[in-house]
Amino acid sequence: EILITMLGAFAQSESESISANVRWGKRQAMREGKANIQYDRLYAYEKGDDGNPKVIPEQAEVVRSNQYLTGASLRMIKERLESEQILNVAGNPQWTITAIRGILTNEKYCGDVLLQKTYISDCISRKVIRNTGQLPMYLLQNHHDGIVERKTFDAVQTEMARRSAGKSPSKKKAPTGLTSYASKYALSERLVCGECGTLYRRCT
């Protein structure tokens, strides 16, 4: 049992060492401006002969024709795409809200690449974590041909932020996993009774 434990510890140490070396190599490539793009999940682009993203014309028209800035919701865009039998990146006519939001917020469609938006926690669990400031990000501007103009992309981000500001705080989206107030008690504050210690809410 001691031998098996020792061998397991050595194997884990070796895995961690290899993983650390791989992470260092990837981050060094990011610092040098080298982008590793997952084309199997990227709509309207494919890998070109020069190794950079190459526009797929028919899919690019779908990206340009989004109606978000004219007032359409993500669900309305989803219904329109499905009613017109437009295929998604996997070749399926069924779209998701997440996929549409991903297209609207992906900087690659205006020609940029933002590196290290996510990272892997460790080599054992392999859990992918969203980078919200834990590690540096690297922005490569004008990396490839964009599909939409930069001002249009920026306008979409502004509009999306405006719409999100009107929604109740989401526990899932909050960095701490907690919300300040539940939607049931909007515009209220939590108070403690000075006599008995009971929690109660007061509208503000």
Side-chain angles (χ1 to χ4, degrees):
E1 290 178 354
I2 293 175
L3 179 60
I4 292 174
T5 301
M6 291 178 62
L7 291 175
F10 290 147
Q12 180 174 336
S13 177
E14 182 67 16
S15 296
E16 291 174 349
S17 177
I18 294 173
S19 178
N21 290 335
V22 171
R23 287 199 303 270
W24 182 89
K26 289 183 177 180
R27 288 169 186 170
Q28 185 62 29
M30 293 178 190
R31 296 187 189 99
E32 297 173 357
K34 299 177 182 177
N36 183 21
I37 298 175
Q38 302 294 327
Y39 290 96
D40 57 333
R41 301 178 182 179
L42 184 60
Y43 187 78
Y45 280 113
E46 61 184 355
K47 188 174 183 179
D49 295 334
D50 59 354
N52 291 327
K54 178 183 177 182
V55 176
I56 302 175
E58 58 273 19
Q59 294 184 357
E61 289 302 316
V62 177
V63 175
R64 294 190 188 100
S65 65
N66 84 78
Q67 304 297 310
Y68 192 76
L69 289 178
T70 60
S73 66
L74 298 180
R75 184 165 299 279
M76 291 170 62
I77 296 175
K78 173 183 181 297
E79 293 173 352
R80 182 183 67 82
L81 293 173
E82 291 178 347
S83 66
E84 296 179 7
Q85 291 293 296
I86 295 176
L87 304 181
N88 60 24
V89 67
N92 192 309
Q94 299 298 319
W95 288 76
T96 65
I97 298 296
T98 301
I100 296 171
R101 182 183 291 108
I103 291 176
L104 292 173
T105 58
N106 195 331
E107 77 289 339
K108 295 182 182 67
Y109 294 107
C110 67
D112 298 343
V113 179
L114 182 61
L115 304 176
Q116 202 157 243
K117 289 187 283 189
T118 61
Y119 65 95
I120 296 176
S121 58
D122 56 74
C123 63
I124 305 302
S125 66
R126 305 291 296 175
K127 182 179 179 180
V128 178
I129 300 175
R130 182 184 176 189
N131 185 4
T132 57
Q134 301 92 323
L135 296 173
M137 294 183 180
Y138 304 91
L139 178 63
L140 309 180
Q141 290 189 314
N142 302 315
H143 175 266
H144 54 270
D145 293 335
I147 293 177
V148 299
E149 294 183 4
R150 192 180 304 276
K151 63 179 182 180
T152 301
F153 176 79
D154 291 340
V156 170
Q157 309 318 303
T158 301
E159 174 62 14
M160 189 165 289
R162 186 193 68 80
R163 297 189 192 184
S164 297
K167 298 179 180 179
S168 300
S170 170
K171 181 176 181 180
K172 188 174 182 180
K173 294 180 181 179
T176 60
L178 301 173
T179 54
S180 299
Y181 305 106
S183 57
K184 182 178 178 181
Y185 299 103
L187 299 180
S188 66
E189 59 179 332
R190 297 183 62 179
L191 302 174
V192 180
C193 178
E195 296 181 359
C196 64
T198 302
L199 288 175
Y200 65 100
R201 296 179 182 273
R202 182 180 67 187
C203 293
T204 58

